[in-house]
Amino acid sequence: MKNILIATLATTTLLMSASLKDEARNAGLLPIPNNKAELMKLIDNPRNPITDAKAELGKKLYFDPRLSKSGLISCNFCHNLGEGGDDGVEAAVGHKWTANPNHVNSPTVYNAVFNDIQFWDGRAKDLEEQAQGPMLAHPEMAATSEHVEKVVKSMPEYEAEFKAAYGKDVKITFALIADTIGLYERILVTPSAYDDFLNGDKNALNAKEKEGLKTFIDAGCVTCHTGYGLGGAMNMFNITGTYKHMDVGGFKGDKNGMVRVPTLRNITQTAPYFHNGKIWSLSEAIKEMGKIQLGANLSDKDVASIEVFLKALEGRKPEVIYPMLPASTEKTPRPDMN
Amino acid sequence: MKNILIATLATTTLLMSASLKDEARNAGLLPIPNNKAELMKLIDNPRNPITDAKAELGKKLYFDPRLSKSGLISCNFCHNLGEGGDDGVEAAVGHKWTANPNHVNSPTVYNAVFNDIQFWDGRAKDLEEQAQGPMLAHPEMAATSEHVEKVVKSMPEYEAEFKAAYGKDVKITFALIADTIGLYERILVTPSAYDDFLNGDKNALNAKEKEGLKTFIDAGCVTCHTGYGLGGAMNMFNITGTYKHMDVGGFKGDKNGMVRVPTLRNITQTAPYFHNGKIWSLSEAIKEMGKIQLGANLSDKDVASIEVFLKALEGRKPEVIYPMLPASTEKTPRPDMN
């Protein structure tokens, strides 16, 4: 009798899991492929295909503070790979301790490849285009394209690596430097227990997490937080709120007053939340989104259940061997703090 | 005949190498041991012996910007392990973009364990004591000891790691946090071709490098740049110069007007030079030191020869796997930019 009961329970769980997976897939949720070739097809850039040599070079550039005017601020300063891919502050602070003038929160670089477009207002079409922005923005790295090119070209090691990556006739331009950084960012994807579940491993999520996924779907979160990134699309998320007015500060979103839906991957590691970084508690963020975007007063139970699911989106980060950067030479532009 | 000549030359080189090694050792130059047990004996701290668990935890703390008031400045910000262990700027810039008030240059953390004392004015006896300074200094990380303790204790992952490293009854104090950072810094040693040569590998240095080492010894550089670190001692280096007045800005050195002799290891990767970071060219730095401290006008040939030798001090850096930091919790003190 006991054995039959266990067998029945097991079958029920199996069926429930199977159907939950289908339900998630039908709701538009997509897992990071566990097949490498399939993943590469998804994240690669046909214009500049990923190779190990380019990625290794891109990593160095990503971590190199000398690309900034001061010599102190690298891409990793605001998109810290050790901190869930962002900086953990409300709004970015950059050159001369200048706060982001729109008071917008630095989005995580992890899984940013799954965003349809880049920046909160979607003004860059891909990671390569995005990577140019912060280098030139005065409140961020405050450099000029000439500065960035000069820095890179001043070091024979960088020159050699560009040749190894792109061929001996390569022309090292600001655009190619940004392309190489963007290329590195493409490989920063973090598959999680959630992906394993959607890829067919029925036991990858526990009962509570499955329940949370169900709540997430049923409550309607999945309307915007969908696709590979559980977010990443434009034209879905009215910045001032659909059902409740949201205080957006000085930021206006795109020309239609929209902001990009943020990814929920690694969300437990990327407080504070929202484009303005004003909410520090994840449960509060869930509750607020219910009110603002769904017109729903989510119960504490539902909020807690969704939070358990979101925790299962914590991904396995690629191992990053900290790059030893080429030494500056006498040709390297000197840091300028002003 | 030709063969005899080659054999004779080889023997001469061999003899010269053997005696050069002895000469270097007699002049007080000491290699980083290539025997692990011997190295550990040299770098360990009997008060808090090095273990893998402590070093791994120390690495996380070293890279964690949340120990600072702003949440943006880690130890690695000024002592960047990818940039030869320093920041590549004249004088450190920290919290609120404040320049170091004494305009002193950030010393490299690599091989700092070989310094007799820490800081340019030698005010800290070891790395553990040194590590406390920048966390509390307002122009650097601008934290308080309470802030640092609160940050660490707010994350269960850190608590668990402290327990794993120091036992379940561990009391996480500011001093222990600094001790753990200092412990991590102890293992940041970088053996080089020069060490291989002093350890007996006659071919580790080429003829030009051997010539450079000989010039380095004969010119008298070795008087101050000696020991394991080729530098690191106090009470040798009069800040205003022994033979020529040196412009030292506002910095006064220790109570006797002395500054610590900097290490020459990885010197090709740590421009700008001197305690005030005022010299960017290595050959110029060598020439200046000749004038200031030796009262010698080194010839261009000697300067070039010494520079070749210094290049052979570029060390093999320990591989650093970039740490994935524990996620902040709602108890973690919020970043404060002011």
Side-chain angles (χ1 to χ4, degrees):
Chain A
M1 180 64 194
K2 199 177 152 201
N3 281 345
I4 293 171
L5 190 64
I6 289 170
T8 313
L9 277 171
T11 315
T12 313
T13 311
L14 212 72
L15 284 169
M16 199 192 83
S17 299
S19 63
L20 177 60
K21 181 186 128 185
D22 291 344
E23 204 182 321
R25 290 244 191 184
N26 291 338
L29 292 171
L30 293 165
I32 298 177
N34 52 15
N35 171 301
K36 207 193 158 185
E38 217 181 304
L39 173 62
M40 286 310 289
K41 227 170 94 180
L42 191 65
I43 64 176
D44 210 353
N45 178 4
R47 186 168 64 76
N48 184 23
I50 297 170
T51 65
D52 286 350
K54 291 178 202 169
E56 195 53 37
L57 173 56
K59 179 173 78 172
K60 283 190 181 161
L61 296 165
Y62 185 87
F63 275 99
D64 198 331
R66 291 167 300 182
L67 302 188
S68 69
K69 188 181 185 191
S70 65
L72 294 174
I73 299 179
S74 67
C75 304
N76 190 65
F77 185 72
C78 292
H79 304 282
N80 192 324
L81 299 187
E83 285 191 283
D86 73 5
D87 50 12
V89 303
E90 282 190 19
V93 167
H95 190 72
K96 292 181 83 172
W97 213 252
T98 313
N100 182 292
N102 285 320
H103 198 89
V104 293
N105 182 255
S106 306
T108 178
V109 67
Y110 283 118
N111 308 295
V113 64
F114 299 129
N115 294 335
D116 293 348
I117 37 171
Q118 303 298 334
F119 290 120
W120 281 104
D121 61 4
R123 66 185 185 278
K125 71 173 184 304
D126 56 20
L127 287 166
E128 287 74 7
E129 192 179 328
Q130 191 280 335
Q132 297 195 9
M135 286 195 268
L136 304 182
H138 196 77
E140 302 185 40
M141 292 166 75
T144 60
S145 55
E146 293 75 28
H147 170 86
V148 174
E149 287 175 5
K150 247 190 193 170
V151 167
V152 172
K153 288 185 190 172
S154 71
M155 294 177 247
E157 263 182 79
Y158 266 139
E159 283 214 306
E161 287 202 41
F162 266 96
K163 283 181 186 170
Y166 292 104
K168 69 175 177 37
D169 296 325
V170 63
K171 204 166 168 272
I172 301 173
T173 62
F174 176 65
L176 187 62
I177 292 165
D179 279 358
T180 310
I181 293 171
L183 180 142
Y184 173 61
E185 294 173 341
R186 285 178 180 271
I187 64 173
L188 300 174
V189 300
T190 70
S192 62
Y194 155 84
D195 298 283
D196 298 340
F197 178 72
L198 288 198
N199 280 322
D201 176 357
K202 295 180 188 71
N203 301 315
L205 296 183
N206 65 32
K208 290 260 177 218
E209 290 162 343
K210 287 174 188 165
E211 206 179 293
L213 169 54
K214 180 96 176 96
T215 314
F216 181 80
I217 298 169
D218 291 348
C221 312
V222 78
T223 316
C224 291
H225 293 287
T226 184
Y228 290 104
L230 299 98
M234 205 70 203
N235 299 325
M236 279 182 155
F237 188 160
N238 191 306
I239 190 174
T240 52
T242 306
Y243 290 91
K244 180 192 158 190
H245 185 77
M246 190 181 185
D247 177 19
V248 295
F251 186 53
K252 290 191 168 52
D254 76 355
K255 63 184 191 312
N256 302 316
M258 308 291 261
V259 289
R260 193 191 56 201
V261 181
T263 179
L264 296 181
R265 291 183 178 276
N266 304 302
I267 193 79
T268 43
Q269 300 170 332
T270 59
Y273 302 114
F274 300 159
H275 67 278
N276 56 14
K278 284 295 185 195
I279 303 278
W280 287 80
S281 143
L282 185 52
S283 57
E284 204 184 318
I286 297 167
K287 223 176 281 182
E288 271 301 291
M289 275 292 107
K291 284 186 198 151
I292 291 170
Q293 300 299 347
L294 298 170
N297 272 312
L298 297 173
S299 70
D300 288 352
K301 186 171 163 280
D302 283 352
V303 169
S305 179
I306 291 170
E307 195 173 354
V308 167
F309 165 63
L310 295 183
K311 178 99 182 142
L313 296 174
E314 270 182 24
R316 299 180 288 273
K317 314 288 183 304
E319 183 176 273
V320 177
I321 296 174
Y322 196 62
M324 297 296 139
L325 303 175
S328 296
T329 67
E330 292 186 33
K331 282 186 200 156
T332 309
R334 307 255 171 101
D336 179 354
M337 300 301 159
N338 297 307
Chain B
M1 178 63 192
K2 201 178 152 198
N3 280 346
I4 294 170
L5 191 64
I6 290 172
T8 312
L9 277 171
T11 315
T12 313
T13 311
L14 212 72
L15 283 170
M16 199 191 83
S17 299
S19 63
L20 177 58
K21 183 186 126 184
D22 291 344
E23 203 183 322
R25 291 245 192 184
N26 290 338
L29 293 172
L30 292 165
I32 298 177
N34 52 13
N35 170 301
K36 207 192 158 186
E38 216 180 306
L39 172 62
M40 286 309 288
K41 226 171 93 180
L42 191 64
I43 64 177
D44 209 352
N45 178 4
R47 187 169 62 77
N48 184 22
I50 297 171
T51 65
D52 287 350
K54 291 179 202 170
E56 195 55 36
L57 174 56
K59 180 173 78 171
K60 285 190 180 161
L61 297 165
Y62 185 86
F63 275 99
D64 199 329
R66 292 167 301 183
L67 303 188
S68 69
K69 187 182 185 191
S70 66
L72 294 174
I73 299 179
S74 67
C75 305
N76 190 65
F77 185 72
C78 292
H79 303 283
N80 192 325
L81 299 187
E83 285 191 282
D86 72 5
D87 51 12
V89 303
E90 281 190 20
V93 167
H95 190 72
K96 293 181 82 172
W97 213 252
T98 314
N100 182 292
N102 285 320
H103 198 90
V104 293
N105 183 255
S106 306
T108 178
V109 67
Y110 283 117
N111 307 297
V113 64
F114 299 129
N115 293 335
D116 293 348
I117 37 169
Q118 304 297 335
F119 291 120
W120 281 104
D121 60 4
R123 67 184 184 277
K125 70 173 184 304
D126 57 20
L127 286 167
E128 287 74 7
E129 191 178 327
Q130 189 281 336
Q132 297 194 10
M135 287 195 267
L136 304 182
H138 197 77
E140 302 183 41
M141 293 166 75
T144 60
S145 56
E146 294 75 27
H147 169 87
V148 174
E149 288 176 5
K150 249 192 192 165
V151 166
V152 172
K153 288 186 192 171
S154 72
M155 295 178 248
E157 264 181 77
Y158 267 139
E159 283 215 306
E161 287 202 41
F162 266 97
K163 283 180 185 167
Y166 292 104
K168 69 176 175 40
D169 296 326
V170 63
K171 205 166 167 273
I172 302 173
T173 61
F174 176 65
L176 187 61
I177 293 165
D179 279 359
T180 310
I181 293 171
L183 179 143
Y184 174 61
E185 295 173 340
R186 284 177 181 271
I187 64 174
L188 300 175
V189 301
T190 70
S192 63
Y194 155 83
D195 297 285
D196 298 340
F197 177 73
L198 287 199
N199 280 322
D201 176 357
K202 294 181 189 69
N203 300 316
L205 295 183
N206 64 31
K208 289 261 177 217
E209 290 162 344
K210 287 175 188 165
E211 205 180 293
L213 170 54
K214 179 96 177 97
T215 314
F216 180 82
I217 297 168
D218 292 347
C221 311
V222 78
T223 317
C224 291
H225 293 286
T226 183
Y228 290 103
L230 298 100
M234 205 71 204
N235 299 324
M236 279 182 156
F237 189 161
N238 192 305
I239 190 173
T240 52
T242 305
Y243 290 90
K244 180 192 157 193
H245 186 76
M246 189 181 186
D247 177 17
V248 294
F251 186 55
K252 290 191 167 52
D254 77 354
K255 63 183 193 313
N256 301 316
M258 307 293 258
V259 289
R260 192 191 56 201
V261 182
T263 179
L264 296 181
R265 291 183 178 275
N266 304 301
I267 193 80
T268 44
Q269 300 170 333
T270 59
Y273 303 113
F274 300 159
H275 69 278
N276 57 13
K278 284 294 184 196
I279 303 279
W280 286 81
S281 142
L282 184 53
S283 58
E284 203 183 319
I286 297 166
K287 222 176 281 182
E288 272 301 291
M289 275 293 108
K291 283 185 200 152
I292 292 170
Q293 301 298 347
L294 298 169
N297 272 312
L298 297 173
S299 70
D300 288 351
K301 187 171 161 281
D302 283 352
V303 169
S305 178
I306 291 169
E307 194 172 355
V308 166
F309 164 63
L310 295 184
K311 176 100 181 141
L313 296 174
E314 270 181 26
R316 300 180 287 274
K317 314 288 183 304
E319 182 177 272
V320 177
I321 296 175
Y322 197 62
M324 297 295 138
L325 303 175
S328 295
T329 67
E330 293 186 32
K331 282 187 199 155
T332 309
R334 306 255 173 101
D336 179 352
M337 301 301 159
N338 297 305

